Each structure stands twice: as C-alpha cells, then as structure tokens.
Amino acid sequence: MERGSKGTVTSLSSLFPVEEAMKAELRVKEAIAQRTKELDQLNLFISENSSLMNLVQRLPDEISHEIMVPFGKVAFFPGRLIHTNEFLVLLGDGYYAERSSKQTSEILHRRAKTLESKVEGLKAMLLDLEAEASFFNATAAEAAEGLFEIREDYIEQSTNIATQNQTGALESNADPSSRTSGNRSSEDEEYARMMLRLDELELEEARADENASGIEEEELPDLDDETSARCSGDEGEDIKNQPHKQDESIEGNVIKSLGMPSNVKMEEYFPRLEEKISMRTTTKGEVFKDNFSSHSSGDRAADNLGSHSSGDRAANRKAFTGLIVERDFSSNEGQTFSQLLMADSAICRLLVLILQNQFLDSRCRGETADFLVT
Amino acid sequence: MARNQVWVVVMDSVRKEKVHKFEEFVDRRLKPDLVHAIAERDKVFAQQKVFSDLKRNIELLERNGVTNLRTLVNLGSEVYMQADAPDTRHIFVDVGLGFHVEFTWSEALEFISVKEARLARQIEEYTHLIAGIKAQIKLVCEGIRELLQLPG
C-alpha cells in the first residue's frame, strides 16, 4: 500500500497542450482534405466510366459515326469512326486487347466494381479521420477549459490489510521479526504495529499493577507521547478519575449479562477489547455502536469509519468520561457481546483501525484517513 | 541605465515584430506567388511542346504526302476505336479562346511558328517574373538576417 503514489492528478493541458491538440487536429483535417480530393477524383472516374460504358454500348448501333478525329491536342481532322464493334482496351502495363462492345462493357463493369470498393474504403477512412479530428477538437477544448485527470489505481488490499492487522493484534505474542519480514511491509504499517504492541504491553503491565494493589487510584497507563500529552491536557482530571469506576461498571454489567462467575476478571476474557474501549471512550457512543453493528453484520462501513476518524476525532479527544461506555454496553450488552464474541474478527479489525487511527492521526492524518477509506 | 534597458527591450520587441512580419511576407505572399508563377510557366511549356509536336506531325504528313489517315481515337479510360480521316489536307487548329480555324498544311505551319514565338515570349516573361520573386525572397531573407545579426 504505497500511500504516496496512491493517485495522480494531472491537468489535461499538461498531457495534451492546447496548441499540440490543435496542431494535431489541423493535421488530421489536412489529411481529410487530401482524402476528400482523392474521393472526388474516384467519383469522377466512376462517372467517366459509366458514361463510357454507355458510349461503348451505343457505338455498334451504327456502321460509322461522323466525328472530328483528334490530331494531337490542339488540332483535328474531320473524319468518322469505323469498325464500331472493335475496341482496343488497355489491360494495364501497356498491354492492349481487342474486344467487342459487349466484352468491353464487361471489362468496364469490373473496373466500376473496383472503383466502388475503393470508394467504400476511402469513405471508411474519412469517417475514421473525422472521428479523430473531432476527438482532437474535444481534447483541445477540454485542455483549454483546464480539465484535470484524476487517476487512482484500484488496490484490492483493504481486506488483506484488515486481516493482517487483525492477526497481528490477536497473536500479540508472535515474533515481531516474523511480521516485519512479511512480504508487504510499509513503514507506516510497521510503525503502527509496533506502537500497538507497545501499547498492549504497557496496558498489561498497568493492569497487573492494578490487580496487585487493588484499590488505589491508578494512572492511566502511558500509551505513547501523544496519548500521554493528551491525558495531561484539559481533561486530565477526568481521565485520572474515571477509569477505575468505568472498569468496574463494565465488568459488572457484562459479566452479569454473560453469566460468568463474578470473580473472573473481565479482562481475561476480553483483555484487549476492554482496554481499547476504555481508552477510546467517546461521547458519541452511537458512532461506536454503529461501527460494531455494521461490522458484525459483515459490512466494512468504510464511510462510518471515515467520518469517525475525521469528524469525531476532536470530540473523542476531549471526551474521556467513561460514562458513555457504560451506557454503550448496557444498551448493547446481551446481543452485542454475543455477536462480538462470534464476530471477534470484526471487532479486532475495528479496534485495530481505531487504534491505528489514534496513533497515526497526529503523525499522518491525511494518510490515515486514506488508509481507513481504503 | 534603466531607461537604456527599457529602450533595448522596446527595440527588441520591435525588431522581433519586424522579423515576424518579414517572415510572414515571405511565407504567405512571395512563396505562393513563386509556386504559382512556376506552375503557369510549366503550362506554357506544355503548350509549346504540343505545338512543336503538331508542327512535326504536319511536316511528317507533308513529307510523306499523306492525304487520308487511319488512326485510333481515345474514347476515354484508355479505350480506343479506329477512326478514318478521309481528307487530311485541311486541318482544324485551336487558335485559342475556343476558336478552331481550318488551315491548310502551310497555313498551319505558319500559324504554329507565330504561336511558338508568342509562347517563347510568354515563357521568357514568366522566367523573368520567377527570377524577380526569387530575388525578392532573397532580399527579404537578407533583411531578416541583418535584423537578427546586427542588433540596434
């Protein structure tokens, strides 16, 4: 997925300069004029041929015809045509044959057919040339208007990327070297994966701390510079206060609904899921919900994600309340979670996408949006 | 200094314009004229050849005393038919403007010599015209060269 060379935008006038297009059109028009002249000449031949056929058929009607016998180009004698059923016909290459009137008219007939086929060919050629000329004309006009050509290759990788990311997320213990040795290792992707892995490790660590100490209020684990910076922002207080309560509430609800023993920790079943969701709390639970449902129904919902990544990002950043997560789950809990369990690949995909979004957005916002859309 | 530069620039544009005009004059006026004149002269040459052929043929008839003639007439598209001219002592010759005059052989030869002289004069005129056009083209080309080579 080369994001740099994803699409190209070229102005039509840079591909086909207006003057060049006009020149080409002019050239084609010249060719058309030449062909038209040839066509006219052929038509002249045809008419001559038909009149000659007429003449040849009429001449033997009489023994002789009074004519002026040409003598050179500018002189003639008075005289008459004799042997009116004898014609000397040029066969070509200087060979002549003596033919009767009927035979001559047959020869002329064949000549007429050849001429007609030639005319047909010439007409087809003229049509082609005219189409070409009109194309050049249109191109020139478009180039003059300042049209742009936007070209983007169709890359059938969107599902591959998702699955790869998903597997990367699932097998979080897998050797990173094996992943980096993967055939298609774009730098950005690798960076995102590394950050994901770091994030997971840190969260695990933090949770272990939490489990050990139990009650004291914990810091939200550091993700990376960006997230910590965000945490230390205006909503720093909220973030510090909320996670504990939020965790508990989620556990309570979900575990109850799934009928699990209450002493089993939620995060052992959905370790990463919970982390991500608690990390990624949003005021707009609907978006989240939408994403989940659309994913579990197998749809990729690229639009949703796109809007989420671009439009709601600011809102996400500010809103770290955690209350919404509770509501989100309680509204969805029974059905959504069973669906999630079944369609965990979809979840993972979504989470990975969200996480990537989160990490990448400060670094390469535009590219992330691109990525999500693809 | 700045004024000088402006002057140079103005002169430059003026010169460019002039060169352009000259070139256009050569391409649009003189060269078509030259082509036309040469074509006209070629026509006259062809005419001259026709008349000299006629003259030779009449002289041939005269020398051999041919009074009747059997020949092939081109009906068009290289289809020929035999034709008989019973009396060749009188010949109709095109004298121009669509008029044909009945001549005897000697009258025809006289007319042809006059016509040939006229054609020769025409050819000379056209040759002069062509030379003049060529000279003009050379002159203008030289002017352009001067404009380009010897700036202000």
Side-chain angles (χ1 to χ4, degrees):
Chain A
M1 201 173 74
E2 298 85 18
R3 283 170 204 162
S5 63
K6 201 163 127 41
T8 54
V9 178
T10 43
S11 99
L12 204 63
S13 54
S14 78
L15 277 180
F16 308 103
V18 182
E19 308 89 57
E20 291 296 317
M22 281 183 168
K23 259 187 218 164
E25 194 198 348
L26 216 67
R27 213 165 40 235
V28 174
K29 282 207 168 142
E30 272 170 25
I32 287 176
Q34 200 185 331
R35 300 289 175 197
T36 316
K37 219 184 268 178
E38 277 178 38
L39 191 67
D40 287 348
Q41 201 173 10
L42 274 182
N43 281 329
L44 192 73
F45 283 161
I46 286 176
S47 68
E48 253 180 36
N49 202 59
S50 64
S51 68
L52 181 62
M53 245 192 290
N54 209 1
L55 181 67
V56 165
Q57 275 160 3
R58 273 194 303 107
L59 276 176
D61 290 351
E62 288 177 45
I63 293 288
S64 69
H65 298 267
E66 292 293 327
I67 58 158
M68 289 298 195
V69 182
F71 191 67
K73 269 185 182 166
V74 291
F76 49 79
F77 301 112
R80 63 186 201 279
L81 286 174
I82 50 171
H83 303 294
T84 51
N85 201 18
E86 286 173 24
F87 295 89
L88 209 59
V89 185
L90 177 70
L91 301 175
D93 206 19
Y95 286 94
Y96 289 86
E98 201 171 87
R99 312 300 283 165
S100 72
S101 158
K102 208 169 179 179
Q103 289 165 325
T104 309
S105 71
E106 276 166 16
I107 289 175
L108 292 177
H109 226 85
R110 289 196 284 278
R111 277 191 195 169
K113 267 186 189 163
T114 326
L115 284 173
E116 264 162 27
S117 74
K118 265 189 196 169
V119 165
E120 289 303 312
L122 214 55
K123 272 182 183 164
M125 203 183 282
L126 264 175
L127 272 180
D128 277 1
L129 283 171
E130 263 158 23
E132 209 175 319
S134 72
F135 167 74
F136 277 130
N137 190 15
T139 308
E142 279 170 359
E145 275 171 16
L147 223 69
F148 282 89
E149 183 184 343
I150 301 172
R151 184 171 292 195
E152 189 171 311
D153 290 334
Y154 172 63
I155 307 168
E156 206 175 0
Q157 278 183 344
S158 50
T159 51
N160 290 348
I161 289 154
T163 48
Q164 172 150 348
N165 285 332
Q166 165 198 336
T167 52
L170 281 175
E171 309 157 6
S172 50
N173 295 329
D175 190 7
S177 66
S178 74
R179 258 183 270 150
T180 48
S181 67
N183 45 358
R184 120 194 107 69
S185 59
S186 157
E187 269 186 59
D188 288 336
E189 246 178 270
E190 229 157 70
Y191 179 79
R193 244 181 272 128
M194 276 157 61
M195 291 316 290
L196 191 68
R197 175 81 183 123
L198 277 175
D199 173 29
E200 281 164 12
L201 288 173
E202 275 170 345
L203 278 168
E204 261 167 30
E205 202 178 333
R207 205 167 37 245
D209 282 348
E210 180 201 346
N211 289 344
S213 53
I215 39 163
E216 70 266 24
E217 69 173 36
E218 33 142 14
E219 289 281 331
L220 193 79
D222 283 341
L223 295 175
D224 58 2
D225 298 343
E226 184 217 346
T227 325
S228 61
R230 199 197 297 167
C231 290
S232 62
D234 346 355
E235 278 78 31
E237 290 299 310
D238 277 353
I239 296 160
K240 271 183 193 172
N241 295 336
Q242 292 301 337
H244 200 71
K245 195 170 87 187
Q246 169 198 334
D247 278 355
E248 282 181 351
S249 60
I250 292 170
E251 281 162 32
N253 277 330
V254 174
I255 288 165
K256 224 182 288 169
S257 73
L258 293 176
M260 290 174 184
S262 60
N263 59 350
V264 180
K265 281 280 177 189
M266 171 65 193
E267 49 258 76
E268 282 168 27
Y269 283 91
F270 307 106
R272 277 182 328 88
L273 179 68
E274 191 209 345
E275 287 156 21
K276 266 51 161 201
I277 290 167
S278 63
M279 288 304 307
R280 191 62 188 169
T281 342
T282 99
T283 43
K284 303 212 169 185
E286 303 86 53
V287 177
F288 232 56
K289 206 166 42 178
D290 281 353
N291 287 338
F292 272 130
S293 52
S294 59
H295 270 267
S296 52
S297 69
D299 201 337
R300 275 210 67 239
D303 290 345
N304 248 340
L305 281 173
S307 68
H308 183 77
S309 67
S310 58
D312 302 334
R313 192 176 289 144
N316 294 346
R317 192 162 292 170
K318 279 180 197 150
F320 241 81
T321 56
L323 290 170
I324 313 301
V325 169
E326 198 176 77
R327 190 180 60 189
D328 199 4
F329 277 93
S330 57
S331 62
N332 285 336
E333 50 188 355
Q335 156 242 15
T336 311
F337 257 90
S338 51
Q339 272 186 357
L340 291 188
L341 273 175
M342 287 192 289
D344 61 348
S345 71
I347 300 167
C348 288
R349 191 187 302 165
L350 172 71
L351 290 174
V352 165
L353 286 172
I354 291 168
L355 265 188
Q356 273 192 345
N357 178 15
Q358 199 173 341
F359 288 128
L360 288 171
D361 66 359
S362 69
R363 273 186 344 111
C364 43
R365 184 171 298 220
E367 289 175 9
T368 314
D370 278 356
F371 167 74
L372 282 173
V373 172
T374 48
Chain B
M1 188 67 182
R3 220 168 161 191
N4 239 349
Q5 276 177 349
V6 167
W7 177 244
V8 166
V9 167
V10 167
M11 279 308 290
D12 234 33
S13 70
V14 165
R15 196 180 306 127
K16 242 180 213 166
E17 204 176 308
K18 244 184 187 159
V19 168
H20 186 68
K21 261 165 105 181
F22 283 177
E23 278 176 348
E24 201 149 88
F25 181 61
V26 170
D27 284 341
R28 296 264 171 90
R29 185 68 205 273
L30 293 179
K31 283 189 177 170
D33 273 4
L34 182 64
V35 169
H36 183 251
I38 289 175
E40 287 295 313
R41 191 177 62 164
D42 284 349
K43 266 188 211 165
V44 182
F45 270 130
Q47 193 100 5
Q48 195 186 32
K49 187 177 181 302
V50 165
F51 274 101
S52 73
D53 280 352
L54 182 61
K55 187 181 167 189
R56 212 175 52 240
N57 281 332
I58 290 175
E59 278 168 357
L60 209 68
L61 291 180
E62 222 173 13
R63 207 177 307 138
N64 296 332
V66 180
T67 53
N68 62 356
L69 188 71
R70 185 168 288 194
T71 177
L72 285 168
V73 180
N74 192 351
L75 301 174
S77 299
E78 305 299 313
V79 175
Y80 293 88
M81 184 179 267
Q82 291 175 51
D84 183 42
D87 182 15
T88 59
R89 279 169 300 180
H90 291 271
I91 184 169
F92 290 78
V93 180
D94 183 4
V95 295
L97 298 175
F99 288 102
H100 294 79
V101 179
E102 187 177 355
F103 287 129
T104 59
W105 289 343
S106 56
E107 282 167 349
L109 286 175
E110 204 175 311
F111 167 75
I112 286 168
S113 65
V114 172
K115 182 85 181 171
E116 272 186 330
R118 174 165 162 64
L119 288 175
R121 211 167 51 245
Q122 264 185 344
I123 284 171
E124 204 168 314
E125 273 171 25
Y126 274 119
T127 307
H128 272 298
L129 184 63
I130 288 165
I133 293 172
K134 277 184 179 171
Q136 276 176 331
I137 289 175
K138 268 219 167 123
L139 183 75
V140 177
C141 282
E142 198 67 20
I144 291 170
R145 201 181 62 82
E146 225 172 87
L147 272 176
L148 289 176
Q149 276 195 346
L150 306 169

